[in-house]
Amino acid sequence: MAFNIGLSGLRAATSDLNITGNNIANAGTAGFKQSRAEFADVYAASVLGTGANPQGSGVLLSNVSQLFNQGNINYTQNALDLAINGNGFFVTSNGGDIGYTRAGYFGTDRQGYVVNNFGYRLQGYTVDANGNLQNGVVGDLRVETTNQAPKASTKLEQAFNLNSTNTTPTVTPFDPQEPTSYNSSTSVNIYDTQGNAHVFTQYFVKTGENTWDMHVLVDGRNPGAPGSDAPYTMQLQFNADGSLNTAGMAAGGPLNYDPATGLMNLDNWVPAASDGGTPPVWSPNGANASPTGISIDIRSSSQYASTFAVNRVSQDGYTTGQLAGLEIDDTGVIFARYTNGQSKVQGQVVLANFANVQGLTPTGKTGWVQSFESGEPVIGTPRSGTLGALQAGALEDSNVELSDQLVNLIVAQRNYQANAKTIETESTITQTIINLR
């Protein structure tokens, strides 16, 4: 029996060496989780039990468990490298074969799909044709690499302060080429349907106590008739406390005004372009304005005794843009940044967790698949529930501690030698018996 006991010990020590060696070999593998050999003793048994003083029959490898403790986060230069800080696994698809991994080597393939270094597609919540995130719809994440289409301006919001101490200009009538004919001015770009930028300029002329004229030109031309330089005019009135009196505003030209809302609307703008001549000739450029016009909101403006200033300005149009880069936040939302200053959601990475992560079946390539023992995956976004946070531009290092593994090598080697000595001793005893005469 001692031969079998010693042989089982050699097998156990060999398994221990194999597992330790595999841990050491993967000490530099991102997302790798070390394994541990777990042994159990063996006793011979009969239908009546083992008896009061059973004699052991050796050792067996009862289990190889995986240790899923957190590895260190190592920052890289790749924006699509991802690390999980906490619980969860990335979900990947290899032609429909779903797998799970902690290794976050990700990039894009020629079709724009986000894939790992084996070509498996990263899974997440996708977006619809309008760029809206489809929560609950898990699919292949894809980055739209084509140019972003331009968007015509539909609204303009401003908050400015007109200096109440200004006096009425002595030069009349208003002339944009004559600075003494107006008190102050400001400009902002607006966009047509082809993404062409046009300069929307407002000139403010004080006409009396708490009253002003706002003259509007686009590219220095009449917004509705590019062949003319006559501005659109809006009459502004302010209250005694300096706030804008929207009820007292009145349109002095084709600039549409809704007294119920206090909003203006530029609804007949004709985008134009110059022929570059001297003098230049302006004509329609072939593009259109937004079919709904441009809503102009200046309701937060004021008239105080301080210098003219634009406190806030925003408009929603933009020109065409090329993909400039990607950003992923800690909840897994993928943002594409474009050269026109815009950003667009491309999807959201999801993570999976299991009731028994020890039950996952390792398949190699730093991946696992679901098993009966692991249970069903729980899918969610990073930072939701018990799922960890996502760190972009980083990788999770292997959780192998080399110092521990080197000690394990010494222990496994000692165990192997000791079990070999058991066999050697049994062989000597047996030879002694054989040599009896």
Side-chain angles (χ1 to χ4, degrees):
M1 179 180 288
F3 282 114
N4 292 333
I5 293 174
L7 185 59
S8 70
L10 290 178
R11 293 194 187 102
T14 300
S15 297
D16 198 6
L17 283 169
N18 290 339
I19 294 168
T20 302
N22 186 61
N23 289 340
I24 293 174
N26 286 282
T29 302
F32 177 79
K33 299 302 177 183
Q34 64 177 314
S35 298
R36 179 181 66 191
E38 297 176 354
F39 302 102
D41 53 1
V42 179
Y43 287 88
S46 67
V47 292
L48 298 179
T50 60
N53 297 294
Q55 185 176 351
S57 300
V59 64
L60 60 81
L61 181 65
S62 63
N63 188 35
V64 178
S65 64
Q66 302 169 89
L67 306 181
F68 285 93
N69 55 297
Q70 179 73 41
N72 294 327
I73 302 298
N74 181 29
Y75 292 91
T76 68
Q77 301 299 317
N78 181 9
L80 284 181
D81 282 345
L82 300 175
I84 302 172
N85 191 358
N87 299 324
F89 298 82
F90 297 112
V91 184
T92 61
S93 174
N94 180 22
D97 183 16
I98 300 299
Y100 306 93
T101 184
R102 295 277 297 195
Y105 291 112
F106 293 109
T108 55
D109 63 12
R110 62 180 182 179
Q111 296 175 297
Y113 288 103
V114 181
V115 296
N116 66 7
N117 50 348
F118 299 107
Y120 302 165
R121 292 179 178 177
L122 181 63
Q123 301 296 287
Y125 294 148
T126 57
V127 293
D128 61 16
N130 297 320
N132 299 315
L133 194 63
Q134 301 295 288
N135 291 324
V137 181
V138 178
D140 300 337
L141 290 176
R142 188 177 188 182
V143 175
E144 184 60 56
T145 58
T146 59
N147 289 356
Q148 186 181 44
K151 181 180 184 296
S153 300
T154 63
K155 61 181 179 181
L156 170 63
E157 296 182 359
Q158 290 176 309
F160 50 78
N161 178 70
L162 299 177
N163 191 343
S164 63
T165 64
N166 285 161
T167 59
T168 302
T170 57
V171 177
T172 58
F174 164 72
D175 181 358
Q177 304 300 321
E178 178 53 62
T180 59
S181 69
Y182 54 89
N183 298 94
S184 50
S185 66
T186 183
S187 298
V188 63
N189 282 346
I190 58 175
Y191 296 87
D192 60 30
T193 54
Q194 294 180 358
N196 298 303
H198 302 267
V199 181
F200 178 93
T201 306
Q202 296 151 284
Y203 300 88
F204 300 97
V205 179
K206 189 169 186 179
T207 58
E209 183 178 324
N210 295 334
T211 60
W212 298 73
D213 279 348
M214 182 180 73
H215 303 289
V216 174
L217 293 172
V218 178
D219 295 328
R221 314 306 300 166
N222 182 287
S228 168
D229 58 3
Y232 284 178
T233 302
M234 187 75 188
Q235 295 173 1
L236 308 182
Q237 183 173 351
F238 292 87
N239 298 312
D241 62 0
S243 62
L244 184 66
N245 180 8
T246 56
M249 294 167 60
L255 193 62
N256 189 20
Y257 173 66
D258 183 357
T261 63
L263 299 177
M264 295 173 282
N265 202 67
L266 183 63
D267 56 5
N268 59 348
W269 169 41
V270 179
S274 168
D275 64 355
T278 306
V281 176
W282 290 80
S283 59
N285 67 355
N288 294 322
S290 168
T292 61
I294 301 177
S295 174
I296 304 172
D297 184 358
I298 62 170
R299 292 175 294 180
S300 298
S301 298
S302 60
Q303 180 198 238
Y304 298 136
S306 62
T307 58
F308 171 78
V310 178
N311 303 315
R312 185 181 74 253
V313 60
S314 65
Q315 63 85 37
D316 62 350
Y318 47 82
T319 187
T320 185
Q322 296 177 325
L323 183 65
L326 294 173
E327 294 178 359
I328 304 177
D329 67 13
D330 60 355
T331 65
V333 177
I334 304 174
F335 295 93
R337 292 183 292 102
Y338 294 88
T339 54
N340 58 3
Q342 301 297 308
S343 62
K344 181 180 179 182
V345 175
Q346 302 284 298
Q348 185 174 19
V349 179
V350 297
L351 301 179
N353 204 7
F354 297 85
N356 176 25
V357 294
Q358 294 283 344
L360 290 171
T361 302
T363 58
K365 299 180 180 178
T366 327
W368 293 266
V369 294
Q370 175 189 348
S371 71
F372 177 79
E373 293 297 329
S374 68
E376 292 294 323
V378 177
I379 303 295
T381 57
R383 296 187 70 89
S384 66
T386 61
L387 296 173
L390 212 59
Q391 178 62 59
L395 293 171
E396 181 189 8
D397 289 340
S398 168
N399 67 351
V400 173
E401 288 289 344
L402 277 177
S403 57
D404 293 343
Q405 299 305 311
L406 293 175
V407 172
N408 288 345
L409 277 182
I410 297 172
V411 173
Q413 180 186 21
R414 182 197 63 193
N415 291 341
Y416 192 96
Q417 291 172 334
N419 282 282
K421 194 65 176 179
T422 298
I423 296 175
E424 180 185 354
T425 302
E426 181 67 15
S427 176
T428 302
I429 293 172
T430 303
Q431 189 64 38
T432 300
I433 295 174
I434 292 173
N435 289 338
L436 289 175
R437 291 182 173 85

